[in-house]
Amino acid sequence: MNRSFKIYVYPHKKDDPFANVLLPVKTEPSGNYASESYFKKALMKSHFITKDPTKADLFFMPFSIASLRHDRRVGVGGIQDFIRDYVQNMIHKYPYWNRTNGADHFYVACHSIGRSAMDKAPDVKFNAIQVVCSSSYFLSGYIAHKDACLPQIWPRNENPPNLVSSNRKKLAFFAGEVNSPVRINLVETWKNDTEIFVHNGRLKTPYGDELLGSKFCFHVRGYEVNTARIGDSLYYGCVPVIIANYYDLPFADVLNWKSFSVVVTTLDIPLLKKILKGIVNSGEYLMLQKNVLKVREHFQWHSPPIDFDAFYMVMYELWLRRSSIPILLGDS
């Protein structure tokens, strides 16, 4: 992959009226949806870029859903029209889309609105590769073997102390807004427990300390299947427990999630203590936590990127998909 994989990015100038949407951010990405900006910024400076479209394996449409949300000229209500017009203009200006009907094109989005942003551009939704954080295969717009999950990762710069020797006295931990039936169920079931700690609202103690002090950390779907809590858990050496039905997990083509996480269904919420204590008592927890420390490097962004980090993992997912793209004979 490192030697041969090439991507052509549709070019846009600095004086483009929507340069803020189409070009990489100048500052260090931040916030809950930083993964989108981190990827584009890293890609544009990488050796994977080619300015010769005839040498490209894939074509990147560089619009930023996160930036469009905050652009007063567009806003949430105008994103679908913007994407439709962008794709139509691209097709008319360049010949590359028609070779595969868009199957060798991709875009990246972390905010959940990215899913509905393609509603007026159905060829993008059903033909192009969607690299998105909201990767639920229960929804018709996401196709697991075609699309790929972008991990939602809160940016952090330094490793926390004592990952290995951390005294993890709590069995399990969750904190977050109770904004879904699944989270309501979790909090109502375990709010008075002495081993499973679930919190609704602001914590009185540092979030990182709670993760460092827990054996298991819950990733529970909210409005969408994705949150930053998987990245949080791995960063602090906590074994993630994933309660998000139909979630196409990040890098599922590459990583064996059973080796470093616990995946349960929403029906298992009343059984969580039994399940987790069984894992601890059997000795399986030690293996899971050891593997957490091995895979956590794949869920971190760096500027510039380093081997095996989140950028290279996403690139590998794209590289895997480039080999299954058909070329329509007769088109050029």
mmCIF file of all heavy atoms in Angstrom, residues 179-212:
data_model
loop_
_atom_site.group_PDB
_atom_site.id
_atom_site.type_symbol
_atom_site.label_atom_id
_atom_site.label_comp_id
_atom_site.label_asym_id
_atom_site.label_seq_id
_atom_site.Cartn_x
_atom_site.Cartn_y
_atom_site.Cartn_z
ATOM 1 N N ASN A 179 -29.442 10.466 26.217
ATOM 2 C CA ASN A 179 -30.182 10.985 25.070
ATOM 3 C C ASN A 179 -30.707 9.894 24.145
ATOM 4 O O ASN A 179 -30.980 10.148 22.974
ATOM 5 C CB ASN A 179 -29.287 11.949 24.278
ATOM 6 C CG ASN A 179 -27.990 11.294 23.811
ATOM 7 O OD1 ASN A 179 -27.796 10.091 23.969
ATOM 8 N ND2 ASN A 179 -27.095 12.089 23.244
ATOM 9 N N SER A 180 -30.824 8.675 24.659
ATOM 10 C CA SER A 180 -31.352 7.583 23.844
ATOM 11 C C SER A 180 -31.999 6.545 24.757
ATOM 12 O O SER A 180 -31.659 6.449 25.940
ATOM 13 C CB SER A 180 -30.230 6.925 23.033
ATOM 14 O OG SER A 180 -29.356 6.192 23.882
ATOM 15 N N PRO A 181 -32.906 5.745 24.235
ATOM 16 C CA PRO A 181 -33.523 4.683 25.045
ATOM 17 C C PRO A 181 -32.503 3.717 25.624
ATOM 18 O O PRO A 181 -32.683 3.211 26.737
ATOM 19 C CB PRO A 181 -34.456 3.981 24.052
ATOM 20 C CG PRO A 181 -34.781 5.024 23.032
ATOM 21 C CD PRO A 181 -33.532 5.857 22.903
ATOM 22 N N VAL A 182 -31.419 3.461 24.886
ATOM 23 C CA VAL A 182 -30.393 2.525 25.367
ATOM 24 C C VAL A 182 -29.700 3.097 26.601
ATOM 25 O O VAL A 182 -29.484 2.395 27.597
ATOM 26 C CB VAL A 182 -29.370 2.219 24.260
ATOM 27 C CG1 VAL A 182 -28.349 1.197 24.763
ATOM 28 C CG2 VAL A 182 -30.060 1.696 23.016
ATOM 29 N N ARG A 183 -29.365 4.367 26.561
ATOM 30 C CA ARG A 183 -28.702 4.991 27.708
ATOM 31 C C ARG A 183 -29.651 5.112 28.901
ATOM 32 O O ARG A 183 -29.224 4.954 30.045
ATOM 33 C CB ARG A 183 -28.156 6.360 27.308
ATOM 34 C CG ARG A 183 -27.008 6.271 26.313
ATOM 35 C CD ARG A 183 -26.373 7.624 26.072
ATOM 36 N NE ARG A 183 -25.274 7.524 25.114
ATOM 37 C CZ ARG A 183 -24.488 8.538 24.785
ATOM 38 N NH1 ARG A 183 -24.678 9.736 25.322
ATOM 39 N NH2 ARG A 183 -23.512 8.368 23.920
ATOM 40 N N ILE A 184 -30.894 5.402 28.627
ATOM 41 C CA ILE A 184 -31.880 5.451 29.711
ATOM 42 C C ILE A 184 -31.963 4.103 30.408
ATOM 43 O O ILE A 184 -31.968 4.010 31.645
ATOM 44 C CB ILE A 184 -33.257 5.873 29.167
ATOM 45 C CG1 ILE A 184 -33.225 7.332 28.699
ATOM 46 C CG2 ILE A 184 -34.343 5.681 30.222
ATOM 47 C CD1 ILE A 184 -34.473 7.770 27.970
ATOM 48 N N ASN A 185 -32.002 3.056 29.614
ATOM 49 C CA ASN A 185 -32.068 1.696 30.155
ATOM 50 C C ASN A 185 -30.838 1.393 31.011
ATOM 51 O O ASN A 185 -30.939 0.859 32.122
ATOM 52 C CB ASN A 185 -32.184 0.697 29.000
ATOM 53 C CG ASN A 185 -32.430 -0.732 29.467
ATOM 54 O OD1 ASN A 185 -32.556 -1.009 30.663
ATOM 55 N ND2 ASN A 185 -32.495 -1.646 28.511
ATOM 56 N N LEU A 186 -29.652 1.750 30.499
ATOM 57 C CA LEU A 186 -28.410 1.499 31.235
ATOM 58 C C LEU A 186 -28.405 2.226 32.574
ATOM 59 O O LEU A 186 -28.100 1.635 33.617
ATOM 60 C CB LEU A 186 -27.210 1.935 30.396
ATOM 61 C CG LEU A 186 -25.852 1.755 31.070
ATOM 62 C CD1 LEU A 186 -25.437 0.290 31.054
ATOM 63 C CD2 LEU A 186 -24.776 2.615 30.373
ATOM 64 N N VAL A 187 -28.749 3.510 32.559
ATOM 65 C CA VAL A 187 -28.693 4.309 33.777
ATOM 66 C C VAL A 187 -29.737 3.843 34.785
ATOM 67 O O VAL A 187 -29.451 3.719 35.988
ATOM 68 C CB VAL A 187 -28.875 5.806 33.444
ATOM 69 C CG1 VAL A 187 -29.057 6.623 34.721
ATOM 70 C CG2 VAL A 187 -27.672 6.318 32.653
ATOM 71 N N GLU A 188 -30.933 3.569 34.327
ATOM 72 C CA GLU A 188 -31.988 3.124 35.229
ATOM 73 C C GLU A 188 -31.674 1.771 35.850
ATOM 74 O O GLU A 188 -32.001 1.504 37.004
ATOM 75 C CB GLU A 188 -33.333 3.062 34.486
ATOM 76 C CG GLU A 188 -33.923 4.416 34.160
ATOM 77 C CD GLU A 188 -34.188 5.240 35.413
ATOM 78 O OE1 GLU A 188 -34.795 4.690 36.363
ATOM 79 O OE2 GLU A 188 -33.779 6.414 35.462
ATOM 80 N N THR A 189 -31.011 0.913 35.090
ATOM 81 C CA THR A 189 -30.696 -0.431 35.581
ATOM 82 C C THR A 189 -29.568 -0.411 36.613
ATOM 83 O O THR A 189 -29.610 -1.148 37.606
ATOM 84 C CB THR A 189 -30.309 -1.352 34.405
ATOM 85 O OG1 THR A 189 -31.386 -1.404 33.463
ATOM 86 C CG2 THR A 189 -30.005 -2.767 34.896
ATOM 87 N N TRP A 190 -28.573 0.457 36.423
ATOM 88 C CA TRP A 190 -27.350 0.361 37.227
ATOM 89 C C TRP A 190 -27.031 1.608 38.041
ATOM 90 O O TRP A 190 -25.949 1.691 38.638
ATOM 91 C CB TRP A 190 -26.171 0.031 36.304
ATOM 92 C CG TRP A 190 -26.325 -1.294 35.633
ATOM 93 C CD1 TRP A 190 -26.634 -1.534 34.332
ATOM 94 C CD2 TRP A 190 -26.214 -2.580 36.256
ATOM 95 N NE1 TRP A 190 -26.718 -2.886 34.090
ATOM 96 C CE2 TRP A 190 -26.459 -3.555 35.267
ATOM 97 C CE3 TRP A 190 -25.940 -3.017 37.559
ATOM 98 C CZ2 TRP A 190 -26.435 -4.914 35.533
ATOM 99 C CZ3 TRP A 190 -25.911 -4.378 37.816
ATOM 100 C CH2 TRP A 190 -26.152 -5.306 36.818
ATOM 101 N N LYS A 191 -27.942 2.562 38.136
ATOM 102 C CA LYS A 191 -27.625 3.840 38.782
ATOM 103 C C LYS A 191 -27.303 3.717 40.270
ATOM 104 O O LYS A 191 -26.621 4.577 40.825
ATOM 105 C CB LYS A 191 -28.770 4.836 38.577
ATOM 106 C CG LYS A 191 -30.101 4.409 39.179
ATOM 107 C CD LYS A 191 -31.180 5.427 38.843
ATOM 108 C CE LYS A 191 -32.542 5.005 39.398
ATOM 109 N NZ LYS A 191 -33.598 5.991 39.028
ATOM 110 N N ASN A 192 -27.772 2.678 40.927
ATOM 111 C CA ASN A 192 -27.525 2.521 42.369
ATOM 112 C C ASN A 192 -26.526 1.418 42.688
ATOM 113 O O ASN A 192 -26.383 1.018 43.849
ATOM 114 C CB ASN A 192 -28.841 2.254 43.100
ATOM 115 C CG ASN A 192 -29.801 3.427 42.999
ATOM 116 O OD1 ASN A 192 -29.401 4.580 43.113
ATOM 117 N ND2 ASN A 192 -31.081 3.123 42.763
ATOM 118 N N ASP A 193 -25.826 0.935 41.664
ATOM 119 C CA ASP A 193 -24.919 -0.191 41.880
ATOM 120 C C ASP A 193 -23.601 0.296 42.481
ATOM 121 O O ASP A 193 -23.200 1.451 42.303
ATOM 122 C CB ASP A 193 -24.650 -0.910 40.557
ATOM 123 C CG ASP A 193 -24.062 -2.290 40.755
ATOM 124 O OD1 ASP A 193 -24.826 -3.211 41.110
ATOM 125 O OD2 ASP A 193 -22.837 -2.445 40.575
ATOM 126 N N THR A 194 -22.929 -0.589 43.184
ATOM 127 C CA THR A 194 -21.658 -0.234 43.841
ATOM 128 C C THR A 194 -20.430 -0.678 43.047
ATOM 129 O O THR A 194 -19.300 -0.377 43.438
ATOM 130 C CB THR A 194 -21.597 -0.877 45.238
ATOM 131 O OG1 THR A 194 -21.732 -2.298 45.105
ATOM 132 C CG2 THR A 194 -22.707 -0.333 46.129
ATOM 133 N N GLU A 195 -20.623 -1.398 41.945
ATOM 134 C CA GLU A 195 -19.493 -1.852 41.132
ATOM 135 C C GLU A 195 -19.541 -1.309 39.711
ATOM 136 O O GLU A 195 -18.505 -1.116 39.075
ATOM 137 C CB GLU A 195 -19.456 -3.385 41.106
ATOM 138 C CG GLU A 195 -19.171 -4.014 42.465
ATOM 139 C CD GLU A 195 -19.169 -5.531 42.389
ATOM 140 O OE1 GLU A 195 -20.258 -6.134 42.426
ATOM 141 O OE2 GLU A 195 -18.068 -6.102 42.266
ATOM 142 N N ILE A 196 -20.747 -1.096 39.206
ATOM 143 C CA ILE A 196 -20.928 -0.464 37.897
ATOM 144 C C ILE A 196 -21.362 0.980 38.139
ATOM 145 O O ILE A 196 -22.397 1.231 38.755
ATOM 146 C CB ILE A 196 -21.974 -1.221 37.053
ATOM 147 C CG1 ILE A 196 -21.439 -2.606 36.676
ATOM 148 C CG2 ILE A 196 -22.322 -0.424 35.798
ATOM 149 C CD1 ILE A 196 -22.415 -3.447 35.863
ATOM 150 N N PHE A 197 -20.564 1.934 37.657
ATOM 151 C CA PHE A 197 -20.821 3.350 37.910
ATOM 152 C C PHE A 197 -21.304 4.011 36.621
ATOM 153 O O PHE A 197 -20.582 4.038 35.617
ATOM 154 C CB PHE A 197 -19.551 4.027 38.411
ATOM 155 C CG PHE A 197 -19.117 3.560 39.772
ATOM 156 C CD1 PHE A 197 -18.403 2.376 39.921
ATOM 157 C CD2 PHE A 197 -19.431 4.287 40.909
ATOM 158 C CE1 PHE A 197 -18.002 1.924 41.165
ATOM 159 C CE2 PHE A 197 -19.034 3.850 42.163
ATOM 160 C CZ PHE A 197 -18.327 2.667 42.298
ATOM 161 N N VAL A 198 -22.533 4.508 36.641
ATOM 162 C CA VAL A 198 -23.098 5.203 35.482
ATOM 163 C C VAL A 198 -23.503 6.606 35.916
ATOM 164 O O VAL A 198 -24.105 6.796 36.972
ATOM 165 C CB VAL A 198 -24.297 4.436 34.887
ATOM 166 C CG1 VAL A 198 -23.835 3.138 34.253
ATOM 167 C CG2 VAL A 198 -25.355 4.144 35.940
ATOM 168 N N HIS A 199 -23.168 7.588 35.100
ATOM 169 C CA HIS A 199 -23.390 8.986 35.457
ATOM 170 C C HIS A 199 -24.148 9.693 34.339
ATOM 171 O O HIS A 199 -23.816 9.557 33.169
ATOM 172 C CB HIS A 199 -22.057 9.704 35.690
ATOM 173 C CG HIS A 199 -21.264 9.151 36.829
ATOM 174 N ND1 HIS A 199 -21.329 9.649 38.103
ATOM 175 C CD2 HIS A 199 -20.383 8.115 36.878
ATOM 176 C CE1 HIS A 199 -20.522 8.963 38.893
ATOM 177 N NE2 HIS A 199 -19.938 8.021 38.171
ATOM 178 N N ASN A 200 -25.130 10.469 34.729
ATOM 179 C CA ASN A 200 -25.866 11.326 33.813
ATOM 180 C C ASN A 200 -25.496 12.768 34.131
ATOM 181 O O ASN A 200 -25.758 13.252 35.230
ATOM 182 C CB ASN A 200 -27.377 11.115 33.984
ATOM 183 C CG ASN A 200 -28.180 12.089 33.141
ATOM 184 O OD1 ASN A 200 -27.659 12.681 32.203
ATOM 185 N ND2 ASN A 200 -29.453 12.253 33.469
ATOM 186 N N GLY A 201 -24.850 13.438 33.177
ATOM 187 C CA GLY A 201 -24.474 14.826 33.409
ATOM 188 C C GLY A 201 -23.012 14.977 33.765
ATOM 189 O O GLY A 201 -22.193 14.076 33.598
ATOM 190 N N ARG A 202 -22.680 16.155 34.311
ATOM 191 C CA ARG A 202 -21.295 16.506 34.585
ATOM 192 C C ARG A 202 -20.732 15.714 35.773
ATOM 193 O O ARG A 202 -21.380 15.564 36.804
ATOM 194 C CB ARG A 202 -21.189 18.008 34.863
ATOM 195 C CG ARG A 202 -19.757 18.505 35.040
ATOM 196 C CD ARG A 202 -19.734 20.009 35.212
ATOM 197 N NE ARG A 202 -20.221 20.669 34.018
ATOM 198 C CZ ARG A 202 -19.465 20.968 32.957
ATOM 199 N NH1 ARG A 202 -18.171 20.629 32.969
ATOM 200 N NH2 ARG A 202 -19.959 21.573 31.911
ATOM 201 N N LEU A 203 -19.496 15.244 35.584
ATOM 202 C CA LEU A 203 -18.801 14.516 36.646
ATOM 203 C C LEU A 203 -18.177 15.470 37.649
ATOM 204 O O LEU A 203 -17.786 16.585 37.303
ATOM 205 C CB LEU A 203 -17.702 13.642 36.041
ATOM 206 C CG LEU A 203 -18.116 12.394 35.259
ATOM 207 C CD1 LEU A 203 -16.912 11.860 34.489
ATOM 208 C CD2 LEU A 203 -18.662 11.332 36.186
ATOM 209 N N LYS A 204 -18.043 15.023 38.890
ATOM 210 C CA LYS A 204 -17.344 15.801 39.913
ATOM 211 C C LYS A 204 -15.855 15.490 39.923
ATOM 212 O O LYS A 204 -15.068 16.208 40.539
ATOM 213 C CB LYS A 204 -17.953 15.511 41.285
ATOM 214 C CG LYS A 204 -19.405 15.959 41.425
ATOM 215 C CD LYS A 204 -19.940 15.659 42.811
ATOM 216 C CE LYS A 204 -21.399 16.096 42.931
ATOM 217 N NZ LYS A 204 -21.949 15.802 44.286
ATOM 218 N N THR A 205 -15.476 14.412 39.272
ATOM 219 C CA THR A 205 -14.070 14.004 39.190
ATOM 220 C C THR A 205 -13.612 14.052 37.733
ATOM 221 O O THR A 205 -14.439 13.994 36.812
ATOM 222 C CB THR A 205 -13.894 12.575 39.731
ATOM 223 O OG1 THR A 205 -14.817 11.707 39.052
ATOM 224 C CG2 THR A 205 -14.164 12.525 41.229
ATOM 225 N N PRO A 206 -12.311 14.154 37.454
ATOM 226 C CA PRO A 206 -11.829 14.187 36.067
ATOM 227 C C PRO A 206 -12.228 12.927 35.301
ATOM 228 O O PRO A 206 -12.103 11.807 35.803
ATOM 229 C CB PRO A 206 -10.308 14.284 36.223
ATOM 230 C CG PRO A 206 -10.105 14.916 37.567
ATOM 231 C CD PRO A 206 -11.213 14.372 38.426
ATOM 232 N N TYR A 207 -12.704 13.140 34.081
ATOM 233 C CA TYR A 207 -13.162 12.048 33.228
ATOM 234 C C TYR A 207 -12.060 11.010 33.027
ATOM 235 O O TYR A 207 -12.285 9.797 33.138
ATOM 236 C CB TYR A 207 -13.613 12.635 31.893
ATOM 237 C CG TYR A 207 -14.092 11.651 30.854
ATOM 238 C CD1 TYR A 207 -15.151 10.787 31.102
ATOM 239 C CD2 TYR A 207 -13.493 11.612 29.592
ATOM 240 C CE1 TYR A 207 -15.607 9.904 30.130
ATOM 241 C CE2 TYR A 207 -13.938 10.736 28.613
ATOM 242 C CZ TYR A 207 -14.990 9.882 28.886
ATOM 243 O OH TYR A 207 -15.434 9.010 27.921
ATOM 244 N N GLY A 208 -10.845 11.484 32.753
ATOM 245 C CA GLY A 208 -9.731 10.564 32.526
ATOM 246 C C GLY A 208 -9.423 9.702 33.732
ATOM 247 O O GLY A 208 -9.082 8.523 33.598
ATOM 248 N N ASP A 209 -9.554 10.265 34.936
ATOM 249 C CA ASP A 209 -9.310 9.488 36.152
ATOM 250 C C ASP A 209 -10.315 8.355 36.301
ATOM 251 O O ASP A 209 -9.974 7.260 36.775
ATOM 252 C CB ASP A 209 -9.371 10.395 37.384
ATOM 253 C CG ASP A 209 -8.183 11.342 37.463
ATOM 254 O OD1 ASP A 209 -7.231 11.172 36.674
ATOM 255 O OD2 ASP A 209 -8.215 12.256 38.310
ATOM 256 N N GLU A 210 -11.559 8.624 35.910
ATOM 257 C CA GLU A 210 -12.589 7.581 35.990
ATOM 258 C C GLU A 210 -12.283 6.433 35.019
ATOM 259 O O GLU A 210 -12.455 5.258 35.354
ATOM 260 C CB GLU A 210 -13.967 8.173 35.683
ATOM 261 C CG GLU A 210 -14.461 9.185 36.699
ATOM 262 C CD GLU A 210 -14.808 8.548 38.039
ATOM 263 O OE1 GLU A 210 -14.941 7.313 38.102
ATOM 264 O OE2 GLU A 210 -14.947 9.292 39.024
ATOM 265 N N LEU A 211 -11.815 6.767 33.835
ATOM 266 C CA LEU A 211 -11.461 5.736 32.865
ATOM 267 C C LEU A 211 -10.237 4.939 33.326
ATOM 268 O O LEU A 211 -10.189 3.713 33.177
ATOM 269 C CB LEU A 211 -11.191 6.366 31.501
ATOM 270 C CG LEU A 211 -12.383 7.062 30.833
ATOM 271 C CD1 LEU A 211 -11.932 7.788 29.577
ATOM 272 C CD2 LEU A 211 -13.482 6.079 30.496
ATOM 273 N N LEU A 212 -9.265 5.639 33.893
ATOM 274 C CA LEU A 212 -8.066 4.963 34.402
ATOM 275 C C LEU A 212 -8.387 4.060 35.590
ATOM 276 O O LEU A 212 -7.671 3.090 35.840
ATOM 277 C CB LEU A 212 -7.021 6.006 34.828
ATOM 278 C CG LEU A 212 -6.140 6.586 33.730
ATOM 279 C CD1 LEU A 212 -5.311 7.737 34.280
ATOM 280 C CD2 LEU A 212 -5.225 5.519 33.134
#
